[in-house]
Amino acid sequence: LHSFPTRRSSDLDTPQEFRDSIICDHFFVGHEDEARGIDDSRVSLLVYDCATTFRYAPTTRTKSSEGTTLALMEVLGDTVPKFAYSDNAHEIKIAIQQLAPSGRPAAHSTRTPHRPQTMGLGERIIEIVTERTKMILKASGLPHSFWTLATRHWCTSYNAMTPIKAKSVHDV
């Protein structure tokens, strides 16, 4: 009989606390040229916490390192993740380095460029967020420019409805 190889253990498999291990990736809702939101934002940054399945998507005007840093600070505050995983985007790498104190930078792993299969979980969550955002816009009858608010609404609703996987009440 053939035995399947065991899965390698990684930091993404066993995150212990909120914001220990995060996945980051940029995305647009719709085409790049029509993605301007009501607050003049054009791009959103998915931040997914592997320990709690918390997801949030702050919006920025551009994919610059400054905008990405501000978006990460909106979600993480002054907390530095122990491990960050993203596509090979230069602005995300710079933003994670800027958040880390000089003594302890976060471990940052990147995927293979132009191969979405190497970041399957992040790509799947982006697909879910964009589908739900479009569903909210269609059901509400709002124009596409409200995508920034619809994305935040869905992420906040998902986070509120998903139970936290804590070991006890004191862990929350």
Side-chain angles (χ1 to χ4, degrees), residues 39-76:
D39 58 353
D40 204 30
S41 296
R42 298 182 73 98
V43 66
S44 195
L45 176 74
L46 170 74
V47 180
Y48 174 80
D49 181 67
C50 297
T52 62
T53 71
F54 174 86
R55 49 195 80 181
Y56 197 65
T59 56
T60 62
R61 287 189 168 86
T62 63
K63 285 177 69 173
S64 67
S65 58
E66 295 85 19
T68 303
T69 303
L70 290 174
L72 274 174
M73 287 175 62
E74 182 179 333
V75 178
L76 300 175

Side-chain angles (χ1 to χ4, degrees), residues 3-24:
S3 63
F4 292 101
T6 57
R7 222 172 83 147
R8 288 186 297 155
S9 174
S10 71
D11 290 335
L12 290 177
D13 291 337
T14 56
Q16 299 298 317
E17 297 176 15
F18 181 53
R19 298 181 227 175
D20 259 4
S21 181
I22 62 168
I23 297 175
C24 301

